[in-house]
Amino acid sequence: MKINLTRRGFLAASASALAAPTVLSFGSAARAEAKAVRVGYIADYFGTSLTAIASDQDLWAKHGLEAELKVFTNGPIQVQALGAGSLDFGYVGPGALWLPASGKAKIVAMNALGLSDRVIAQAGFNSMADLKGKKIGVPEGTSGDMLLRLALAKAGMQLTDVEVVKMDPSTVVSAFASKQIDGAGIWYPLVGVIKKTVPDLVEVAQSADFFPANSFPSAFVTRNEVAAQDPDTVKKMIAVLKDANDFRAADVPRSVEITAKFLGVPAEPLITESNNGKYLTSAELIAATKDGSVAGWLKGLNQQFVAFGKLKDPLDPKDYYLGDLYAG
């Protein structure tokens, strides 16, 4: 199967160890009694850290699971695999959360709030207004796309005020480096990669400019049938994710080391990525679930998905986020 490089596939494509789909199995200590689950991840810090920690700390066996881990390059492919019955749980970034909102999957747990997105410009362009009429490269439907639209609106501009060039992330990197485009809606660690070639690039907008009114959460999802027919397994998966999440929140540098080892990649780009996230403890995520904050994050994304034309009538978050199970 051909898999294109997308938002969270850069490290997977750049690491020879992950050049082909990889399947790993964990949880053998309690294999006889453990529930077998197929879990997807994306080969970068946000998309792998909890999976890597769960494996390193033997959390699968602790909570009665035997995990078969499969690497993917993006969230939509995982949701597609969920629908086909070849995956039980997966990880999706904010740009793919329109799929649960359209009923394609259920969210079992929130992961982190990403602050890694940027609108960047070539030297000499210092604001969004400066980019009027210029070529802006962006991977369509990603959080980079979302940030571009938010930044334009804040500047009193519309998408039609710039020349949007839709391209995949790797093409954004090469096109910006060769000055084929004037700006881009893209994210770290790819911004860091571009800076090595274009050190004088200008960051004209960043996701932190719009936080907390606009948040970019990533999440873990499950197949609709698993949510409906096997809540016990969902609870076990949530328990694994909570333990791994609290490990990460308590020691992000150590979690970077574990993730780099798991992926077989240098730690440097993961460090950069980890510095551009907000990591809540499980207790804080439970509180955010109960007070409606998580629903607010998801509703905010849904408004953007409607504006993008991805969705016409998104579901209410209570219908696709299993918050009662997470907070229980």
Side-chain angles (χ1 to χ4, degrees):
M1 178 177 66
K2 182 179 179 182
I3 299 177
N4 294 323
L5 185 68
T6 53
R7 170 163 171 71
R8 295 303 186 191
F10 174 74
L11 293 175
S14 63
S16 60
L18 296 176
T22 302
V23 178
L24 304 172
S25 183
F26 292 87
S28 58
R31 191 179 300 273
E33 301 82 12
K35 171 72 173 181
V37 290
R38 298 158 299 178
V39 181
Y41 66 97
I42 296 176
D44 63 5
Y45 180 74
F46 287 116
T48 301
S49 53
L50 295 197
T51 298
I53 292 166
S55 302
D56 182 76
Q57 298 295 305
D58 205 21
L59 299 178
W60 306 111
K62 174 184 174 182
H63 293 291
L65 297 177
E66 180 184 345
E68 180 184 334
L69 307 179
K70 301 182 179 185
V71 65
F72 290 83
T73 56
N74 63 35
I77 291 177
Q78 290 180 75
V79 175
Q80 193 174 59
L82 292 173
S86 58
L87 196 67
D88 301 308
F89 297 93
Y91 162 87
V92 296
L97 284 173
W98 68 273
L99 289 160
S102 63
K104 302 293 186 182
K106 294 289 192 294
I107 296 174
V108 299
M110 307 310 294
N111 178 42
L113 295 172
L115 299 173
S116 61
D117 295 279
R118 301 289 189 273
V119 175
I120 59 173
Q122 302 286 356
F125 299 103
N126 298 307
S127 68
M128 293 303 300
D130 290 343
L131 289 171
K132 187 172 183 177
K134 302 302 180 181
K135 291 183 179 179
I136 311 294
V138 64
E140 185 182 18
T142 65
S143 53
D145 188 358
M146 295 178 187
L147 179 63
L148 173 61
R149 293 167 186 261
L150 288 171
L152 286 169
K154 184 178 180 180
M157 300 166 65
Q158 300 179 1
L159 206 59
T160 52
D161 289 325
V162 296
E163 183 180 344
V164 175
V165 184
K166 299 173 184 177
M167 51 182 63
D168 63 55
S170 61
T171 305
V172 169
V173 174
S174 58
F176 194 95
S178 60
K179 302 191 186 306
Q180 295 177 47
I181 54 177
D182 303 297
I186 197 69
W187 49 81
Y188 280 96
L190 296 183
V191 174
V193 173
I194 295 171
K195 278 185 175 180
K196 292 180 179 179
T197 305
V198 191
D200 59 349
L201 69 78
V202 181
E203 296 185 6
V204 296
Q206 55 184 312
S207 43
D209 296 339
F210 301 92
F211 181 83
N214 295 96
S215 299
F216 297 90
S218 50
F220 294 89
V221 295
T222 190
R223 191 154 43 97
N224 287 329
E225 292 80 2
V226 173
Q229 302 168 15
D230 197 356
D232 185 58
T233 296
V234 175
K235 291 177 183 177
K236 290 178 180 179
M237 183 66 179
I238 289 172
V240 170
L241 294 171
K242 283 181 175 178
D243 280 0
N245 180 67
D246 288 336
F247 183 102
R248 180 181 63 187
D251 195 345
V252 172
R254 175 63 181 141
S255 75
V256 169
E257 294 174 5
I258 290 171
T259 305
K261 180 180 178 181
F262 180 90
L263 292 175
V265 300
E268 181 183 0
L270 301 183
I271 292 171
T272 301
E273 189 180 3
S274 71
N275 288 336
N276 284 281
K278 183 175 179 60
Y279 309 104
L280 304 180
T281 65
S282 295
E284 289 172 328
L285 286 172
I286 289 172
T289 297
K290 291 181 175 179
D291 70 15
S293 295
V294 172
W297 303 338
L298 297 173
K299 287 178 180 178
L301 286 177
N302 287 346
Q303 291 172 358
Q304 295 186 59
F305 294 141
V306 170
F308 295 175
K310 282 287 186 182
L311 291 174
K312 289 186 178 180
D313 189 19
L315 296 172
D316 189 283
K318 66 180 176 57
D319 295 323
Y320 62 92
Y321 171 46
L322 304 180
D324 289 345
L325 287 183
Y326 189 87

